[in-house]
Amino acid sequence: MASPKNLHSVQRIISFPITRPRDAFATLHDPGHKQALTFYQFQVHLPKSKKRETNQSKWQPKGGWTHWVQSKASSTWAGFGQAPEGNWKFKVFRMGERLVDRLDYEELALKGVDPSMGPSILHLDVRGRGAEETNEKQKVIIPLLYPPSIQSAESSLSHLRQLIHAREPRHKKGFLVWMIIAPFTAPFMIIPIIPNLPFFFCVWRSWSHYRAYRASQYLAALIKHGHVVSAPSLELDTIYKRYGPKSLIALPRNPSSSPSPSHATAENIELLLTREAVPPIVSTFSLEESSTSNIYRAIEQARVRTESPT
């Protein structure tokens, strides 16, 4: 593994299984069966190159207009969080943070992927389809790290493919729905002083869905053209064994075996990834500081989903 100080720029996808499927064998033969919940840390952005900076127009801000808009929005939002506690900006900030906690952790992970900053796929069109690579030697390989005691190489890539396939139409629909709703918030513009928050919320939700939708297309194309390759991570496996639930070793690892009723119940409600494992994960893989809250959010949402009867 690369040295910690260089891991921020390493291209990789890390698979963090949170739960097991209720029946791994049935899941493979029945797409509607309850899937395992997994959090993915996507790092598919290429390191900044002089060539990319040279090709950038002198009229564009550094990083492009999209990056500038995102940075501007982030700094504005951060300013809301620094407002006095009784101020309306701070109240909006607190409400917004609670809304973010309610967003699917899968959406939050996907929207962090910027296709323009990742490996190029020849002739990638708006549907996420691209032509086959002509030079295999120049193909960028992105390792999909997984804990081998919990997942296999085949299942890790298969689960990622299934997740992307399921999320793509959902985010496409969300993008269109929120974009259609946005114009109906125009009457709120007549309210003085306070900005049109309903309009900005609709635009934000539409933009978030769009980014996740495009990321789903892009990742599907990367997998299709062989850019993503499963790779076992002993470091990740060690963390799972050390901080995972003690009964983990008692769970059946053979998909064809028939678990007892007590095991079936444990598989449905027990979390493989615990909160105690998050700090070692962030430290071992030198993840960004924001990754800590993202993983905690994924664990909490997984707990709620597994306890829900639906």
Side-chain angles (χ1 to χ4, degrees):
M1 179 176 289
S3 60
K5 65 180 180 180
N6 295 325
L7 285 180
H8 289 306
S9 61
V10 170
Q11 288 182 299
R12 62 189 176 174
I13 301 174
I14 308 178
S15 172
F16 297 108
I18 307 177
T19 67
R20 291 182 185 272
R22 184 178 304 168
D23 186 334
F25 182 76
T27 299
L28 294 176
H29 295 80
D30 181 8
H33 199 83
K34 187 171 183 178
Q35 296 287 330
L37 299 177
T38 304
F39 174 80
Y40 291 96
Q41 174 72 24
F42 296 105
Q43 291 180 216
V44 299
H45 297 171
L46 288 168
K48 294 182 180 180
S49 63
K50 294 182 179 180
K51 181 178 179 180
R52 181 177 295 175
E53 293 177 357
T54 303
N55 293 335
Q56 182 175 323
S57 171
K58 64 179 181 179
W59 300 108
Q60 289 184 342
K62 188 175 182 180
W65 286 108
T66 301
H67 178 74
W68 181 85
V69 171
Q70 293 176 2
S71 300
K72 186 68 174 178
S74 297
S75 60
T76 301
W77 185 248
F80 275 40
Q82 296 174 359
E85 188 167 348
N87 191 279
W88 67 268
K89 292 184 178 181
F90 184 78
K91 294 180 180 178
V92 170
F93 176 81
R94 291 290 298 272
M95 181 178 63
E97 291 298 300
R98 286 195 291 267
L99 288 173
V100 171
D101 287 337
R102 296 178 64 88
L103 297 185
D104 290 349
Y105 69 85
E106 296 93 339
E107 176 183 341
L108 294 174
L110 286 171
K111 68 193 292 287
V113 177
D114 185 355
S116 66
M117 300 295 290
S120 299
I121 302 177
L122 298 181
H123 311 301
L124 183 66
D125 61 22
V126 71
R127 293 169 296 178
R129 300 174 182 174
E132 295 292 340
E133 294 282 352
T134 57
N135 191 344
E136 291 293 328
K137 294 182 178 179
Q138 296 181 356
K139 179 182 291 186
V140 176
I141 299 299
I142 301 175
L144 170 59
L145 305 183
Y146 66 92
S149 66
I150 299 177
Q151 293 179 314
S152 65
E154 181 180 356
S155 65
S156 63
L157 188 58
S158 174
H159 186 273
L160 176 59
R161 187 185 294 111
Q162 292 172 6
L163 174 69
I164 293 171
H165 178 73
R167 301 299 299 190
E168 182 177 333
R170 180 171 184 169
H171 293 306
K172 180 180 180 180
K173 179 180 178 180
F175 159 62
L176 295 175
V177 167
W178 285 106
M179 184 60 70
I180 293 173
I181 295 176
F184 292 96
T185 64
F188 290 96
M189 292 183 180
I190 62 176
I191 300 177
I193 303 177
I194 300 178
N196 187 357
L197 296 179
F199 173 78
F200 289 121
F201 176 78
C202 292
V203 172
W204 171 66
R205 289 301 292 127
S206 181
W207 174 242
S208 178
H209 276 295
Y210 175 75
R211 290 180 61 186
Y213 168 57
R214 289 293 291 150
S216 300
Q217 291 182 312
Y218 178 67
L219 291 169
L222 287 179
I223 295 175
K224 177 183 177 181
H225 296 290
H227 290 280
V228 181
V229 177
S230 297
S233 172
L234 298 181
E235 294 89 349
L236 183 58
D237 209 48
T238 299
I239 294 175
Y240 267 88
K241 290 179 179 178
R242 181 175 181 182
Y243 296 97
K246 295 181 179 180
S247 59
L248 176 61
I249 57 176
L251 296 178
R253 292 178 55 187
N254 184 358
S256 61
S257 63
S258 299
S260 64
S262 60
H263 280 160
T265 302
E267 287 183 341
N268 188 30
I269 64 175
E270 189 173 48
L271 301 184
L272 303 178
L273 184 62
T274 62
R275 294 180 64 89
E276 292 75 17
V278 176
I281 285 175
V282 174
S283 175
T284 300
F285 295 96
S286 295
L287 301 182
E288 299 288 348
E289 190 173 330
S290 59
S291 299
T292 303
S293 57
N294 289 339
I295 301 177
Y296 282 142
R297 184 181 292 112
I299 294 175
E300 177 60 21
Q301 289 187 15
R303 183 191 63 79
V304 173
R305 293 183 195 180
T306 54
E307 292 178 356
S308 173
T310 57

